[in-house]
């Protein structure tokens, strides 16, 4: 211990660089590793996780190019499967109500994550109850179960059981409080209401899908046989439609696999998890390489010590253990500081990448076992090679001064430096390309003007209230226009079917995306109208008469929808269509616009003026006006019309950006850790340059005496390192091109990879390398040669 500490203290600069580089690598590895672990364990914490199935659905019409998958199913699935198939022990339906205005006393907030669920919900997903009985909590129609976080928010830690809370101004009695779901679950909720309290619960239907369905199976072996029986059941149920070319599937997917592997319900992306895992391992490798490089580089300085110890009887094994212990001591310090860095940096990192990484797994014994394994592996990998090299020195050669610089050691260090910069350049190039693609996405004209648009929650408002708000808002300065729709116009989800059209056969079917809109929707979002005219008050009245059979709809379709049905924009005007028994004529054809992620191609869409429900209200503000004043004006109009509804808002641009949350998060991680990798690599290069310069100090002195210039010496010392960076660029560039070409294929609309992206990364890496090495080279070149040659 004494010898180890003495050597660390003697070489403080080298030790600090080694330990700091290692601790940075370990901190980054822990941060990213914790996120990867969180993602890979989503919904695996439930006691019955291995037996729970998430039922998803898919359908394809004869005109559809591919199957359309959905995370939701018809509400008849859960009771039917529970009754029909012996493999199903229990089933539950979950209907996501979304946002509701919640009030207790003076506290009034919009709460998201409110769901309706069957009474078996808490028997399948066994969340621990803080208060109340899980078997009876959802038995009464007006009962509600809150999460602990929501109960604390409204009741300040007091027991809320039996108390009443207002949801959209209706009273509900609190019958239970459960622990708040962890961040690593897809089934987030803030309150659970009884499914049977909805009027739609009494009618079991197969033609509309709105419910998440979970099944608790008898055992893990039940998945395959149940899937076979379900396939046969669906084949019989939809036999007539299947004969006409339709395809239907109901998939029984293991809950534990849904997040990362489900096409229909997965919100994760296994590819991005591999990317983040690779970044974590890459950072750790760079840190270990730094450590190995710097320790082996110091080997010549300790040659005399090793020779004397061997002459005095020290064996190779003893020396190996000594040097391995020194390495392990630095690794231990590095892991300790890295853990501290990770704990301190976690909240900042979460805020930076808009994630909520939980440290819950850090309390697991497996985490500490992993830390021990990490310590042992890094000690052996990063310290084992230097220990072998140092302990193998022959005392006679050492004491004769024949070992100062070894070709093998120098070659190894060069290879490791190249490897370091390969990883750094790989991250930098990927960062540049990903940044350009995201910039392209954010600035691309999607055919729908989403700037200056404020979004309000309209879920709990009637169409009359929205009209009143619109009239009030339009009378205020800075407000340009107001409209509403069922869903977000940048991510329309509604699936419909055109079941008849002018000039088509009686069996004509076309699966299409559609969305109910307020009459001014097309004007507010500035959709170019190619033919026809937009909606009027008369169109709204005809489409919303009380007698459903008497309704007559006016439809707006995009150009692609017209082409899919075999019409030009002009020909489509006035054509009759039947969409899910909504009958009417096409009134306008707009230019195509993106109403979903740019990962997918533009699809046919229908807009129609149905005023049953509008989930979102949109307010376009005038350009050149103060947004703060405009928000105040909107808030005043809102509170005038909706005094009992909280005023919450966001911008439509945020909803658009949310479509690319994973890409933006990965790009931010790349940005951050590309800088960290180049920093760690530069630290290692700094240490190596300092050591190399120190070894050649007499040579530099002689060269100066013989007339060498300062710049000539700087060039001599820097050239070797610059060559290594150039080699690293040549190796990293094709790898980065291949990786990013594959990544870009996930986008239908994407940039081209250009040469300057690689040149920019290379110039940046070379600049860092030259500045790092030149600082040491310049210091040596400016030194007085008398000082270095005094003892010759």
């Amino acid at each position: 211990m004494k010898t180890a500490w003495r050597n660390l203290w003697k070489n403080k600069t080298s030790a600090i660089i080694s330990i700091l580089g290692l601790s940075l690598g370990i901190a980054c590895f822990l941060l990213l590793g914790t996120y990867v672990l969180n993602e890979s364990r989503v919904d695996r914490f439930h006691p019955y996780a291995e037996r729970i199935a998430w039922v998803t659905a898919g359908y394809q019409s004869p005109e559809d190019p591919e199957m359309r998958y959905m995370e939701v199913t018809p509400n008849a699935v859960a009771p039917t499967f529970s009754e029909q198939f012996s493999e199903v022990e229990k089933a539950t339906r979950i209907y996501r109500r979304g946002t509701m205005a919640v009030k207790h006393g003076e506290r009034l907030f919009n709460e998201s994550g409110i769901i309706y669920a069957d009474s078996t919900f808490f028997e399948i997903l066994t969340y621990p109850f803080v208060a109340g009985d899980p078997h009876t909590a959802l038995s009464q129609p007006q009962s509600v179960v809150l999460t602990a976080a929501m109960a604390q928010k409204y009741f300040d830690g007091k027991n809320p059981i039996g108390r009443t809370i207002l949801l959209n101004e209706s009273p509900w009695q609190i019958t239970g409080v459960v622990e708040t779901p962890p961040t690593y679950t897809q089934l987030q909720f803030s309150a659970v209401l009884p499914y049977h309290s909805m009027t739609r619960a009494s009618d079991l239907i197969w033609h509309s899908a709105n419910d998440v369905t979970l099944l608790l199976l008898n055992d893990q072996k039940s998945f395959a046989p149940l899937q076979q029986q379900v396939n046969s059941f669906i084949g019989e149920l939809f036999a007539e439609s299947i004969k006409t070319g339709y395809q239907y599937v109901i998939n029984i997917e293991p809950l534990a696999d849904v997040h990362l592997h489900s096409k229909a319900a997965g919100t994760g992306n296994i590819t991005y998890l591999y990317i983040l895992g690779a970044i974590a391992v890459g950072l750790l490798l760079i840190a270990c390489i730094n450590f190995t490089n710097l320790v082996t580089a110091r080997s010549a300085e300790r040659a005399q010590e090793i020779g004397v110890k061997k002459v005095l009887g020290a064996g190779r094994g003893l020396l190996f253990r000594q040097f391995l212990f020194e390495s392990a001591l630095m690794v231990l310090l590095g892991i300790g500081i890295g853990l501290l860095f990770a704990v301190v940096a976690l909240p900042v990192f979460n805020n930076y990448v808009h994630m909520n990484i939980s440290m819950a797994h850090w309390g697991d014994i497996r985490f500490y076992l992993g830390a021990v394994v990490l310590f042992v592996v890094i000690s052996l990998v990063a310290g084992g090679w230097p220990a072998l090299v140092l302990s193998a020195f022959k005392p006679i050669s050492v004491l004769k001064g024949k070992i100062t610089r070894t070709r093998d050691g120098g070659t190894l260090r060069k290879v490791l430096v190249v490897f370091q910069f390969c990883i750094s350049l790989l991250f930098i190039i990927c960062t540049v390309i990903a940044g350009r693609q995201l910039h392209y996405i954010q600035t691309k004209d999607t055919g729908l003007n989403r700037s200056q648009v404020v979004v309000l929650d309209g879920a709990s408002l009637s169409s009359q209230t929205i009209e009143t708000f619109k009239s009030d808002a339009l009378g205020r300065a800075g407000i340009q226009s107001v409209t509403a729709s069922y869903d977000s116009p940048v991510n329309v989800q509604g699936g419909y079917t055109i079941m008849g059209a002018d000039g088509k056969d009686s069996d004509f079917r076309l699966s299409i995306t559609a969305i109910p809109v307020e009459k001014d929707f097309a004007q507010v979002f500035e959709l170019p109208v190619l033919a026809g005219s937009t909606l009027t008050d008369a169109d709204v009245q005809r489409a919303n008469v009380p007698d459903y059979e008497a309704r007559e709809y006016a439809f707006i379709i995009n150009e692609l929808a017209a082409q899919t049905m075999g019409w030009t924009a002009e020909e489509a005007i006035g054509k009759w269509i039947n969409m899910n028994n909504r009958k009417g004529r096409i009134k306008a054809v707009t230019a195509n616009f993106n109403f979903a992620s740019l990962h997918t191609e533009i699809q046919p869409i229908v807009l129609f003026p149905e005023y049953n429900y509008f989930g979102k209200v949109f307010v376009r503000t005038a350009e050149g006006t103060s947004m703060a004043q405009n928000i105040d004006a909107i808030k005043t109009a809102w509170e005038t019309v909706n005094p009992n509804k909280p005023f919450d808002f966001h911008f439509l641009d945020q909803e658009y950006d949310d479509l690319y949350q994973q890409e933006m998060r990965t790009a931010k991680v790349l940005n951050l850790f590309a800088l960290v990798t180049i920093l760690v690599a530069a630290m290692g290069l700094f240490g190596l340059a300092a050591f190399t310069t120190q070894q050649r100090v007499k040579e530099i002195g002689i060269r100066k005496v013989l007339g060498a210039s300062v710049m000539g010496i700087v060039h001599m010392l820097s050239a070797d390192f610059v060559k290594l960076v150039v080699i690293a660029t040549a190796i990293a560039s094709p790898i980065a091109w291949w990786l990013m070409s594959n990544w870009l294929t996930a986008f239908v609309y994407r940039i081209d990879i250009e040469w300057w992206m690689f040149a920019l990364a290379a110039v940046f890496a070379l600049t860092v390398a030259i500045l790092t090495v030149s600082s040491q080279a310049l210091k040596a070149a400016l030194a007085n040669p008398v000082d270095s040659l005094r003892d010759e």
Side-chain angles (χ1 to χ4, degrees):
M1 176 66 81
K2 271 186 175 181
T3 307
W5 187 255
R6 189 183 300 129
N7 279 301
L8 288 180
W9 190 253
K10 180 182 176 183
N11 301 299
K12 290 188 287 291
T13 302
S14 175
I16 289 172
I17 290 174
S18 297
I19 293 170
L20 188 58
L22 195 58
S23 61
L24 275 174
I26 288 169
C28 295
F29 178 80
L30 287 172
L31 287 174
L32 291 172
T34 302
Y35 173 70
V36 171
L37 186 63
N38 279 358
E39 285 288 287
S40 62
R41 294 187 66 181
V42 166
D43 286 320
R44 293 177 182 268
F45 63 91
H46 298 290
Y48 302 138
E50 301 302 321
R51 294 167 50 198
I52 299 174
W54 185 317
V55 185
T56 61
Y59 67 95
Q60 183 177 9
S61 74
E63 290 77 19
D64 287 334
E66 58 186 18
M67 185 75 71
R68 298 187 179 203
Y69 293 99
M70 302 176 291
E71 67 169 358
V72 291
T73 63
N75 72 348
V77 168
T80 303
F81 284 15
S82 182
E83 182 181 332
Q84 294 259 353
F85 305 120
S86 59
E87 289 83 0
V88 179
E89 184 177 317
K90 294 175 183 176
T92 188
R93 295 165 293 185
I94 303 166
Y95 176 72
R96 289 181 169 133
R97 175 60 178 81
T99 302
M100 296 180 78
V102 180
K103 185 177 183 181
H104 178 72
E106 297 301 316
R107 302 183 186 187
L108 175 65
F109 300 98
N110 278 325
E111 296 289 351
S112 60
I114 295 178
I115 64 172
Y116 290 86
D118 286 314
S119 59
T120 49
F121 177 78
F122 291 113
E123 297 174 20
I124 296 175
L125 304 177
T126 54
Y127 288 103
F129 266 66
V130 177
D133 184 351
H135 301 292
T136 60
L138 296 176
S139 59
Q140 298 302 314
Q142 290 298 111
S143 58
V144 58
V145 176
L146 307 181
T147 61
M150 189 168 173
Q152 176 65 32
K153 183 175 180 179
Y154 289 92
F155 296 96
D156 293 325
K158 298 175 184 176
N159 185 1
I161 300 298
R163 307 283 290 274
T164 299
I165 196 168
L166 298 179
L167 304 179
N168 283 352
E169 302 183 60
S170 296
W172 294 73
Q173 187 178 42
I174 299 168
T175 54
V177 177
V178 296
E179 288 187 4
T180 304
T183 56
Y184 41 93
T185 175
Q186 283 201 174
L187 297 166
Q188 293 287 344
F189 61 90
S190 56
V192 185
L193 312 179
Y195 191 90
H196 60 82
S197 65
M198 296 187 294
T199 54
R200 63 189 292 273
S202 57
D203 297 323
L204 299 184
I205 58 174
W206 286 97
H207 63 267
S208 178
N210 295 286
D211 297 345
V212 171
T213 300
L214 300 181
L215 308 177
L216 179 64
L217 307 189
N218 295 328
D219 53 53
Q220 287 181 253
K221 297 178 181 178
S222 299
F223 282 92
L226 176 60
Q227 184 67 68
Q228 292 177 355
Q229 293 181 66
V230 167
N231 292 344
S232 300
F233 176 82
I234 294 300
E236 294 174 8
L237 184 67
F238 295 104
E240 293 301 318
S241 296
I242 291 172
K243 288 178 183 177
T244 63
Y246 271 85
Q247 295 183 48
Y248 299 94
V249 293
I250 295 288
N251 293 318
I252 311 299
E253 304 190 34
L255 177 66
D257 296 339
V258 164
H259 180 63
L260 293 175
H261 301 285
S262 174
K263 290 181 180 179
T267 58
N269 189 316
I270 192 69
T271 301
Y272 291 118
L273 219 56
Y274 288 144
I275 290 171
L276 295 177
I279 292 172
V281 173
L283 281 164
L284 195 60
L285 277 175
I286 286 179
C288 291
I289 287 169
N290 255 3
F291 185 88
T292 305
N293 252 349
L294 292 172
V295 173
T296 53
R298 291 288 171 190
S299 60
E301 288 189 352
R302 304 190 63 182
Q304 296 287 338
E305 173 197 341
I306 294 164
V308 171
K309 282 186 175 181
K310 282 200 169 185
V311 168
L312 293 175
R316 183 177 182 182
L318 178 65
L319 292 171
F320 176 82
R321 289 193 296 275
Q322 171 66 39
F323 294 125
L324 188 61
F325 178 79
E326 289 181 19
S327 299
L329 179 61
M330 285 198 286
V331 171
L332 187 62
L333 288 170
I335 288 179
I337 296 171
L339 278 167
L340 184 62
F341 279 174
V343 171
V344 172
L346 185 60
V348 179
F349 182 66
N350 274 338
N351 186 58
Y352 172 69
V353 294
H354 303 295
M355 291 191 294
N356 191 11
I357 301 175
S358 168
M359 294 175 65
H361 302 307
W362 285 36
D364 194 321
I365 185 65
R366 288 173 293 186
F367 173 80
Y368 296 102
L369 289 174
V372 171
V373 170
L374 192 65
F375 166 71
V376 172
V377 169
I378 295 176
S379 297
L380 291 175
V381 172
W385 171 256
L388 281 172
V389 171
L390 294 171
S391 62
F393 285 170
K394 295 179 181 179
I396 295 175
S397 301
V398 168
L399 296 175
K400 285 182 177 181
K402 291 182 178 179
I403 296 182
T404 55
R405 294 161 65 190
T406 63
R407 180 180 296 273
D408 291 344
T411 302
L412 175 65
R413 285 192 291 278
K414 288 177 181 178
V415 169
L416 293 179
V417 168
V418 169
F419 184 74
Q420 267 187 313
F421 272 91
C422 267
I423 295 175
S424 300
L425 280 160
L426 196 63
F427 287 170
I428 294 169
I429 294 168
C430 292
T431 298
V432 171
I433 295 173
R436 290 298 300 172
Q437 173 64 18
L438 290 176
H439 179 264
Y440 170 77
I441 286 171
Q442 290 171 319
T443 57
K444 184 183 184 302
D445 180 9
T446 58
L448 177 148
N449 187 357
R450 58 182 184 275
S451 65
Q452 300 283 120
V453 176
V454 179
V455 183
L456 309 174
D457 178 46
S460 58
L461 305 180
S462 66
S463 58
Q464 291 83 1
T465 303
I466 292 173
E467 284 297 321
T468 305
F469 166 75
K470 177 179 179 178
S471 298
D472 190 307
L474 288 175
R476 299 178 185 273
I479 308 303
Q480 182 174 312
S481 54
V482 179
T483 190
S485 69
Y486 184 93
D487 205 351
S488 171
V490 298
N491 190 25
V492 182
Q493 299 290 326
Y496 293 75
T497 302
I498 293 179
M499 303 182 294
D502 274 345
K504 305 299 178 185
D505 295 335
S506 59
D507 61 351
F508 173 79
R509 297 290 184 273
L510 175 65
S511 296
I512 198 163
T513 303
I515 179 172
V517 298
E518 193 266 345
K519 69 180 180 68
D520 293 329
F521 183 91
Q523 296 99 305
V524 171
F525 289 108
E526 299 176 6
L527 300 178
V529 176
L530 304 180
S533 58
T534 54
L535 302 172
T536 64
D537 289 330
D539 295 323
V540 173
Q541 290 173 3
R542 285 193 293 269
N544 292 277
V545 295
D547 183 0
Y548 191 84
E549 294 298 322
R551 290 183 177 182
E552 182 182 344
Y553 286 84
F555 298 106
I556 297 177
I557 66 174
N558 66 349
E559 187 177 19
L560 184 59
Q563 291 171 349
T564 304
M565 289 186 279
W567 305 319
T568 64
E570 291 75 16
E571 290 170 346
I573 301 303
K575 289 289 196 294
W576 176 89
I577 61 173
N578 176 3
M579 185 180 72
N580 290 73
N581 293 318
R582 295 171 177 86
K583 302 167 185 176
R585 298 190 178 277
I586 298 170
K587 188 173 185 186
V589 177
T590 70
N592 294 328
F593 62 96
N594 292 95
F595 55 85
S597 164
L598 296 184
H599 288 101
T600 58
E601 293 182 346
I602 291 176
Q603 299 293 325
I605 188 171
V606 177
L607 315 177
F608 60 101
E610 189 168 83
Y611 278 38
N612 294 343
Y613 170 87
F614 289 137
K616 295 180 184 291
V617 178
F618 308 98
V619 182
R620 179 177 294 284
T621 59
E623 292 186 10
T625 57
S626 167
M627 185 55 74
Q629 292 179 3
N630 293 339
I631 296 298
D632 287 340
I634 296 169
K635 182 178 181 181
T636 303
W638 179 271
E639 291 176 345
T640 301
V641 177
N642 308 297
N644 296 321
K645 307 292 183 186
F647 176 74
D648 291 329
F649 74 93
H650 60 271
F651 294 97
L652 188 58
D653 281 332
Q654 292 173 246
E655 292 190 4
Y656 181 76
D657 289 343
D658 286 345
L659 297 177
Y660 312 100
Q661 193 174 48
Q662 289 181 326
E663 288 81 4
M664 289 181 177
R665 179 184 298 155
T666 305
K668 279 192 168 186
V669 170
L670 277 171
N671 287 337
L672 177 62
F673 292 119
L675 288 175
V676 174
T677 56
I678 202 73
L679 173 64
V680 173
M683 287 168 61
L685 206 57
F686 180 86
L688 283 177
F691 168 73
T692 303
T693 303
Q694 187 178 353
Q695 276 197 323
R696 301 177 69 176
V697 68
K698 289 184 174 60
E699 175 193 343
I700 293 167
I702 292 169
R703 286 179 179 273
K704 287 196 73 176
V705 168
L706 294 175
S709 66
V710 171
M711 290 309 298
I713 291 171
V714 170
H715 178 269
M716 176 192 72
L717 293 173
S718 305
D720 286 344
F721 291 105
V722 171
K723 288 176 186 174
L724 298 180
V725 177
V726 172
I727 293 170
T729 304
I731 295 171
S733 295
I735 298 172
W737 177 86
W738 178 76
L739 288 173
M740 296 311 289
S741 294
N742 286 334
W743 178 72
L744 286 171
T745 57
F747 297 89
V748 173
Y749 306 94
R750 53 183 179 264
I751 61 167
D752 294 322
I753 298 178
E754 300 179 52
W755 66 270
W756 65 264
M757 299 173 181
F758 302 93
L760 181 66
V763 168
F764 179 71
L766 280 169
T767 302
V768 170
I770 290 169
L771 290 175
T772 302
V773 176
S774 295
S775 63
Q776 289 296 310
L778 191 62
K779 181 181 176 182
L782 292 173
N784 191 339
V786 174
D787 295 331
S788 59
L789 299 174
R790 182 178 296 161
D791 59 346
E792 289 298 322

